[in-house]
Amino acid sequence: MTCEAALGGERLLRLLQLASPALPVGAYSYSEGLETLVAQGQLPDVSSLQHWIEQELAAGAMRLEAAVMARVYEAAIAPDLPALRHWNQWLSALREAEELRLQSWQMGRSLYRLLLELDPSVSPLLEACGETSNAAESFAVNFAVAYAIAAAHWQIDSRAAILGYLHSWASNLVNAGVKLIPLGQTAGQRLLLSLAPAIARTTDEALVLPTDDFGACSWGQAIACMAHETLYTRLFRS
């Protein structure tokens, strides 16, 4: 059964809610280094932005986030609580820049609190990641981990959930590019259509990627994120 066939009615609506730009997690406030690159003249047009996003999907941290999401999804279905904790800590350690780690934690904490309000029965899975009321003993939940747990808990197809996650991520960067380069709204939507094959390819690779092959090359993004706070003017959060 395809993910499209597996999604119906309420599950489709749940996925749309998770992937919606209206989800109150603050994703819109981050450019993930794009603002630095535009200021430096490295992303002057739509083609350079498309190349940057496609490279992040093919070889950057987003490819690994998607692969970890697949593992978290399986652990949440099992349920395997030690595995949830392991992959959450692994994803935190993956971050090459403090800015990216703090972004993931901030968005994850926002989604964590929202999910507890919407569906308290998901609490054991989220708490297994290490987030507790005792700050000295807690580990912040990464956004991708909280997202995958929500998808598993709501029985959203795993491929559809990762597709939605990556599309939401790409949409946020395209919207940042529309403001920063700047691009027209139509150019932004055209770019999103062009990114669809890369998003689908990364999703399919993430679902079968062996753990021994987990690796990424995203030092350029990390440097751009670290340099962001030194910009003279900023639209986005570091």
Side-chain angles (χ1 to χ4, degrees), residues 68-229:
V68 169
M69 286 179 68
R71 298 298 198 281
V72 171
Y73 186 98
E74 293 172 357
I77 291 293
D80 184 345
L81 302 187
L84 290 176
R85 188 179 184 91
H86 165 77
W87 286 115
N88 184 61
Q89 293 182 22
W90 192 95
L91 195 55
S92 293
L94 168 71
R95 309 299 180 186
E96 294 179 300
E98 182 183 19
E99 291 79 5
L100 291 170
R101 183 181 296 111
L102 293 176
Q103 173 187 342
S104 183
W105 285 351
Q106 178 271 305
M107 292 172 60
R109 185 172 292 111
S110 295
L111 182 55
Y112 178 105
R113 292 170 178 169
L114 176 64
L115 291 173
L116 291 183
E117 291 289 335
L118 297 177
D119 190 348
S121 63
V122 76
S123 176
L125 296 175
L126 292 169
E127 291 179 353
C129 296
E131 184 97 15
T132 69
S133 57
N134 186 344
E137 298 177 356
S138 67
F139 295 91
V141 178
N142 287 279
F143 179 60
V145 171
Y147 191 106
I149 287 175
H153 184 70
W154 288 338
Q155 299 180 344
I156 298 169
D157 176 80
S158 59
R159 183 175 186 271
I162 295 174
L163 277 171
Y165 181 86
L166 293 179
H167 181 269
S168 178
W169 168 81
S171 296
N172 188 61
L173 291 191
V174 168
N175 286 336
V178 167
K179 298 174 183 176
L180 292 168
I181 292 175
L183 304 175
Q185 295 291 340
T186 300
Q189 291 302 306
R190 189 178 294 115
L191 174 54
L192 273 178
L193 283 176
S194 299
L195 291 171
I199 292 172
R201 185 164 54 250
T202 298
T203 298
D204 291 336
E205 291 175 356
L207 289 169
V208 298
L209 187 67
T211 305
D212 289 344
D213 291 339
F214 277 20
C217 180
S218 54
W219 54 267
Q221 182 197 29
I223 292 173
C225 288
M226 287 186 281
H228 183 251
E229 67 177 355

